[in-house]
Amino acid sequence: METEIFQQLKPGAGKWQMICFPYLGGYANSYLDLANALDEEFEVWSLNPPGHGLSTSEPVQHIGTLLDMYYKELQAIIKPHSVFLGHSMGGIIAYFLAQRLLNSGDYTSNSLQLVLSACNTPCEFKGTNYFNLSNDKLIDHLISYDGIPEELIHERSLLEYFLPVIRADFRVLETSSILDFKPLDIPVSFLWGENDKVVPMESVIQWMKYFSNEIKVVPIEGGSHMFISAKAKVVAEHLGDILLRQTV
């Protein structure tokens, strides 16, 4: 059953359930290309954060509020052998939601795994204050992520329409920097774009303090920050390989 937030992108016919967490400004259909590229074994879900996509709710500005909402609605869909995939901002959301699930005692580390993708650590957003930038500076910052189509870059009035959602997401990221965490003992892989100017290898290394076990780094050849869309088929192949290793 779908919920107000979680949307099924693919029914799946096998063992694995993948729950995808959107990047900053993204929504459920941001993962549609990836869902279509994945093997039929995958049941794929994504979510529409408040104020994103077709959601008519007000955007949320604190990660704690989002986690409360997601944790409650997750109970209706989550299955054993679930994989959380979070790209960019979505990786931080996925990490803290996994932490909450494991802390609850209702879900064990051997039935949940995490795939972070092009994701900075929460601590890197401390004091960034991006949500307070002027419209022009905020748009320029977004363009630096290499995720905005060329034709849209010149439509600044259209970009400004989405800025309330973007500001809220940046505020969520900043609030994530003050959350307590204990290193998770959970299988984790990191998809890293070799040409990602937003998430250098130093950021990947910083993630090590957030886990008690080894992080499997999977380079995406030629991938810039938004490879999740630009190289959906390549990402799908890597995800299949990651999960295959877990079943051997």
Side-chain angles (χ1 to χ4, degrees):
M1 60 172 283
E2 293 194 358
T3 73
E4 184 178 342
I5 291 174
F6 288 91
Q7 174 184 330
Q8 190 176 63
L9 300 182
K10 192 172 189 175
K15 174 181 179 180
W16 294 104
Q17 178 192 55
M18 180 166 289
I19 301 176
C20 304
F21 295 84
Y23 44 80
L24 186 141
Y27 63 110
N29 283 353
S30 300
Y31 281 103
L32 200 52
D33 287 345
L34 178 61
N36 290 334
L38 284 166
D39 187 273
E40 294 301 318
E41 290 288 302
F42 286 91
E43 173 187 314
V44 184
W45 293 78
S46 188
L47 64 158
N48 291 301
H52 296 58
L54 298 177
S55 170
T56 57
S57 303
E58 286 293 312
V60 169
Q61 298 191 29
H62 196 286
I63 191 172
T65 306
L66 278 183
L67 292 174
D68 289 344
M69 296 171 64
Y70 295 169
Y71 181 77
K72 181 179 179 182
E73 294 210 9
L74 191 64
Q75 309 308 312
I77 68 162
I78 194 167
K79 298 178 179 178
H81 305 295
S82 187
V83 183
F84 285 5
L85 167 65
H87 186 83
S88 197
M89 172 185 178
I92 290 177
I93 301 294
Y95 174 86
F96 283 112
L97 194 58
Q99 175 181 270
R100 184 168 295 197
L101 273 174
L102 297 177
N103 287 345
S104 73
D106 295 330
Y107 217 76
T108 59
S109 59
N110 61 2
S111 59
L112 178 69
Q113 64 176 296
L114 186 59
V115 179
L116 302 176
S117 176
C119 181
N120 294 106
T121 56
C123 64
E124 290 175 81
F125 291 97
K126 187 173 183 179
T128 50
N129 214 31
Y130 292 137
F131 65 95
N132 270 335
L133 290 175
S134 67
N135 284 359
D136 284 343
K137 288 185 177 180
L138 186 56
I139 289 172
D140 288 343
H141 185 66
L142 288 174
I143 291 172
S144 74
Y145 280 41
D146 292 335
I148 298 179
E150 185 68 30
E151 60 272 18
L152 195 55
I153 290 175
H154 304 294
E155 298 290 338
R156 294 182 85 88
S157 60
L158 183 58
L159 288 173
E160 287 179 3
Y161 174 79
F162 294 104
L163 288 187
V165 167
I166 300 300
R167 290 186 188 282
D169 281 357
F170 272 122
R171 187 74 179 106
V172 167
L173 286 171
E174 189 148 342
T175 60
S176 77
S177 69
I178 61 173
L179 288 189
D180 290 331
F181 69 90
K182 181 180 179 181
L184 296 185
D185 181 14
I186 185 175
V188 55
S189 301
F190 196 108
L191 305 180
W192 176 68
E194 292 181 340
N195 295 338
D196 190 345
K197 293 182 286 188
V198 181
V199 184
M201 181 53 71
E202 289 79 8
S203 291
V204 182
I205 293 170
Q206 282 201 56
W207 272 107
M208 292 180 181
K209 64 185 178 184
Y210 289 83
F211 297 94
S212 59
N213 52 326
E214 181 184 356
I215 298 175
K216 172 66 178 177
V217 179
V218 180
I220 305 298
E221 185 177 357
S224 58
H225 186 62
M226 294 305 295
F227 63 75
I228 198 77
S229 301
K231 295 181 175 289
K233 289 184 179 179
V234 173
V235 172
E237 290 173 3
H238 282 301
L239 290 171
D241 290 343
I242 289 168
L243 297 184
L244 181 62
R245 285 198 304 272
Q246 297 297 326
T247 57
V248 173

